[in-house]
Amino acid sequence: RDVVHLFNSLTGFSKLGTLRKISAAPGNLKKQVIEIIRREKENALSGNKAHITAKMNSLVDSDVVDELYAASCSGVKIELIIRGLCILRPQVKGLSENITVRSIVGRFLEHSRILIAHNKGENEVYLTSADWMPRNFLRRIEIMFPVENKILKEKIVHNIIPLYMDDNTN
């Protein structure tokens, strides 16, 4: 249903209304990413395990970086896999001590963009077309959607992401 609404808005048939499952840019995609980061921050402040893993080509949106810094300072463990540009400075005392950034650079751009929020042990997994950049949030059509199939979520969390985290040979 969301995709139909998005398509109709792209073709000019209708205005984009409220989406139930997906987030879209321009629109609510950036807001949704920030809400997920803030929720993990609140989980950490409440004494719960809080963890974010994100994989993308570029991270250059200063608002999102500020939210990641605030989450780190609140105790959220943040693991980023960024292929290209990254304005976030990891492992800075008092700012980003809980953030690690890995860069796996090869001949080809990475097209999978993944966001995983621990959410008190109920992993939420999202796939998206967007890097975290102002141009992607504001000037392009991008989407983010939740992975709801339990088997696929488990594969992403326990098989795919660990391959990237363990890579030391490019």
Side-chain angles (χ1 to χ4, degrees):
R1 181 174 159 187
D2 284 354
V3 173
V4 169
H5 287 303
L6 180 63
F7 180 77
N8 285 338
S9 72
L10 292 173
T11 61
F13 184 71
S14 67
K15 290 189 177 187
L16 184 61
T18 303
L19 301 173
R20 293 181 179 194
K21 298 262 183 177
I22 69 173
S23 301
N28 69 336
L29 178 57
K30 179 177 177 177
K31 179 182 174 197
Q32 181 69 26
V33 168
I34 288 173
E35 285 176 5
I36 291 167
I37 295 167
R38 286 180 179 167
R39 188 192 61 223
E40 287 301 300
K41 175 183 161 188
E42 291 304 315
N43 287 341
L45 291 172
S46 298
N48 295 302
K49 181 180 175 185
H51 187 177
I52 294 170
T53 304
K55 177 187 171 299
M56 67 200 75
N57 282 326
S58 297
L59 171 58
V60 296
D61 187 275
S62 59
D63 296 331
V64 173
V65 168
D66 289 343
E67 293 293 337
L68 290 168
Y69 285 150
S72 172
C73 290
S74 299
V76 179
K77 180 181 178 183
I78 301 168
E79 296 178 295
L80 302 172
I81 304 162
I82 312 291
R83 184 196 185 279
L85 300 173
C86 181
I87 64 169
L88 182 144
R89 293 186 56 211
Q91 302 293 299
V92 175
K93 187 172 179 150
L95 179 67
S96 57
E97 294 172 78
N98 292 314
I99 303 175
T100 58
V101 177
R102 289 174 176 77
S103 180
I104 301 172
V105 179
R107 289 178 44 200
F108 305 105
L109 285 174
E110 287 291 320
H111 289 286
S112 60
R113 292 162 181 96
I114 302 167
L115 171 60
I116 302 169
H118 187 268
N119 195 26
K120 298 180 186 176
E122 298 292 325
N123 282 329
E124 288 183 355
V125 178
Y126 298 89
L127 300 181
T128 180
S129 61
D131 289 317
W132 292 352
M133 307 172 74
R135 75 176 187 200
N136 292 73
F137 288 138
L138 302 173
R139 296 188 304 275
R140 290 186 176 181
I141 305 298
E142 305 277 1
I143 64 163
M144 180 173 76
F145 62 93
V147 176
E148 296 178 333
N149 180 289
K150 186 176 180 174
I151 294 169
L152 294 177
K153 281 172 60 170
E154 294 296 316
K155 280 187 175 189
I156 292 167
V157 172
H158 298 295
N159 298 111
I160 295 172
I161 291 297
L163 287 174
Y164 284 107
M165 296 299 190
D166 294 339
D167 187 293
N168 62 5
T169 60
N170 196 26

